[in-house]
């Protein structure tokens, strides 16, 4: 064995020694709860009807396949996640482009821009519930003063309007998170690229489309990955604003799981819902990771 092989072997040993505590922590925090939930999902255990757990195999998953309420909540969650993430990416990109420019007070504006994301979600949900209140809400007051409506709109009492309201509140809170990630990516792009492109006669829009977007794709996909996972598991904002209403129009998967476990005490079926939701998120992460690796390859080739 050569000296370089010995050094490499020692470095690999050191790396594994440093990784072992983190791997153990991940197993305890992530792997064990999911494995426990899967095991529990194989049993029928409803404390409302019986105290003893009974092994039922895949019956809970068969029940889920025909559960219209679950699929409705899954569809509602998908719509909420897609609309929120797309709007946050568009608005976050615009804010990041503005914050990347030089202007007086830029540091203060950057600090202020992140305030909505730093505030507690439950508090934000309560505030937006009052903002969209049909009698005393600010939104109706503004629309009435502008003469756009004649009477107050029941934003949180109509299914479609309630969906719009919770999406709007989520976009307002989490857009700063997207903008900060994209701003970090923008600052890593060399200004020389834009100068060379401008010398060749490119317009600002062409520079944005041919330089900014390709080099910013990794940050865009990372931000999307984080937000998809967070939005798909949204709970507190909707629980405070609508509690899944009206008529289940804003009931997302997390609220349905909470209701199944905590209200109906159906632990076996609730565990099955958790496992399936987790697997769906893993599939989304795998797809996003594949797209991320491809975008990094293209970005390196462009740079």
């Amino acid at each position: 064995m050569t000296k370089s092989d010995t050094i490499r072997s020692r470095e690999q040993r050191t790396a594994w020694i440093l990784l072992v505590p983190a791997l153990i922590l991940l197993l305890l925090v992530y792997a064990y709860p999911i494995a426990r939930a899967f095991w529990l999902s194989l049993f029928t255990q409803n404390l409302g009807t019986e105290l003893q757990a009974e092994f039922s195999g895949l019956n809970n998953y068969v029940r889920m396949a025909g559960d219209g309420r679950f699929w409705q909540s899954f569809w509602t969650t998908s719509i909420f996640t897609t609309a929120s993430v797309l709007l946050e990416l568009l608005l976050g990109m615009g804010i990041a482009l503005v914050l990347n420019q030089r202007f007086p007070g830029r540091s203060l504006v950057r600090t202020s821009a992140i305030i909505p994301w730093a505030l507690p979600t439950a508090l934000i949900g309560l505030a937006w519930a009052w903002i969209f209140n049909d009698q005393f809400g600010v939104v109706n007051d503004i629309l009435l003063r502008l003469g756009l409506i004649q009477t107050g709109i029941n934003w949180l009492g109509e299914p479609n309007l309630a969906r719009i309201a919770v999406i709007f509140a989520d976009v307002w809170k989490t857009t700063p998170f997207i903008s900060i990630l994209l701003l970090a990516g923008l600052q890593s792009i060399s200004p020389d690229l834009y100068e060379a492109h401008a010398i060749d006669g490119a317009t600002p829009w062409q520079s944005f489309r041919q330089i900014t977007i390709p080099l910013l794709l990794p940050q865009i996909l990372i931000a999307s990955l984080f937000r998809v996972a967070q939005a798909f598991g949204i709970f507190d904002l909707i629980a405070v604003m609508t509690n899944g209403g009206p008529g289940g129009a804003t009931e997302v998967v997390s609220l349905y799981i909470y209701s199944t476990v905590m209200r109906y005490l159906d632990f076996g079926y609730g565990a099955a819902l958790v496992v399936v939701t987790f697997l769906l998120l893993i599939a989304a992460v795998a797809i996003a990771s594949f797209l991320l690796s491809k975008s990094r390859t293209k970005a390196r080739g462009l740079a």
Side-chain angles (χ1 to χ4, degrees):
M1 180 179 292
T2 64
K3 184 177 180 180
S4 60
D5 291 336
T6 303
I7 294 175
R8 188 179 298 108
S9 177
R10 188 183 304 118
E11 290 176 347
Q12 290 177 349
R13 255 194 329 269
T14 304
W16 276 109
I17 292 173
L18 295 175
L19 281 174
V20 164
L23 292 175
I24 294 175
L25 182 62
L26 286 175
L27 287 174
L28 291 176
V29 174
Y30 294 103
Y32 173 74
I34 292 299
R36 175 64 179 169
F38 175 72
W39 177 252
L40 185 59
S41 70
L42 302 178
F43 291 82
T44 299
Q45 184 176 16
N46 190 326
L47 297 185
T49 57
E50 55 185 14
L51 297 179
Q52 294 296 327
E54 180 181 348
F55 184 79
S56 57
L58 300 178
N59 284 353
N60 285 323
Y61 296 95
V62 175
R63 172 186 170 187
M64 187 189 308
D67 188 352
R69 184 177 174 184
F70 167 72
W71 293 112
Q72 178 60 41
S73 67
F74 178 78
W75 175 246
T76 301
T77 306
S78 301
I79 294 175
F80 174 85
T81 301
T82 303
S84 296
V85 173
L86 288 178
L87 288 173
E88 288 161 12
L89 284 173
L90 291 174
L91 294 174
M93 175 65 77
I95 294 173
L97 290 171
V98 172
L99 296 181
N100 195 43
Q101 305 300 316
R102 294 184 179 276
F103 56 87
R106 183 175 67 169
S107 299
L108 178 61
V109 174
R110 285 181 174 179
T111 303
S112 302
I114 202 173
I115 289 177
W117 183 60
L119 293 173
T121 305
L123 179 63
I124 294 300
L126 185 62
W128 280 105
W130 275 103
I131 290 172
F132 282 111
N133 186 274
D134 58 331
Q135 296 182 2
F136 310 106
V138 176
V139 173
N140 279 342
D141 183 63
I142 294 174
L143 294 177
L144 286 169
R145 290 175 184 272
L146 293 176
L148 298 177
I149 58 174
Q150 301 300 320
T151 58
I153 298 175
N154 189 9
W155 291 96
L156 302 180
E158 297 291 336
N160 291 329
L161 295 179
R163 294 189 188 103
I164 293 173
V166 295
I167 290 172
F168 191 92
D170 185 67
V171 169
W172 182 85
K173 174 174 173 54
T174 53
T175 294
F177 173 76
I178 300 287
S179 64
I180 292 300
L181 289 181
L182 297 184
L183 177 60
L186 287 174
Q187 291 181 328
S188 67
I189 301 175
S190 174
D192 296 339
L193 291 174
Y194 295 103
E195 294 176 4
H197 212 226
I199 292 174
D200 291 338
T203 63
W205 169 248
Q206 289 174 329
S207 296
F208 175 76
R209 187 165 50 87
Q210 298 173 8
I211 296 178
T212 304
I213 293 298
L215 294 180
L216 208 60
L217 267 179
Q219 284 77 18
I220 292 174
L221 288 174
I222 289 173
S224 302
L225 178 61
F226 276 109
R227 281 302 302 139
V228 165
Q230 292 173 347
F232 200 86
I234 187 73
F235 175 81
D236 41 6
L237 180 70
I238 296 180
V240 172
M241 287 187 66
T242 64
N243 198 29
T250 59
E251 185 181 56
V252 290
V253 171
S254 58
L255 275 174
Y256 181 45
I257 295 174
Y258 176 83
S259 178
T260 300
V261 175
M262 303 303 296
R263 182 179 298 177
Y264 303 113
L265 303 178
D266 196 346
F267 293 102
Y269 187 56
L273 294 173
V274 170
V275 171
V276 170
T277 303
F278 174 77
L279 292 177
L280 291 172
L281 279 176
I282 289 296
V285 168
I287 294 172
S289 299
F290 174 73
L291 295 175
L292 177 60
S293 63
K294 290 185 64 176
S295 69
R296 283 178 174 172
T297 303
K298 291 180 180 179
R300 289 195 189 102
L302 180 62

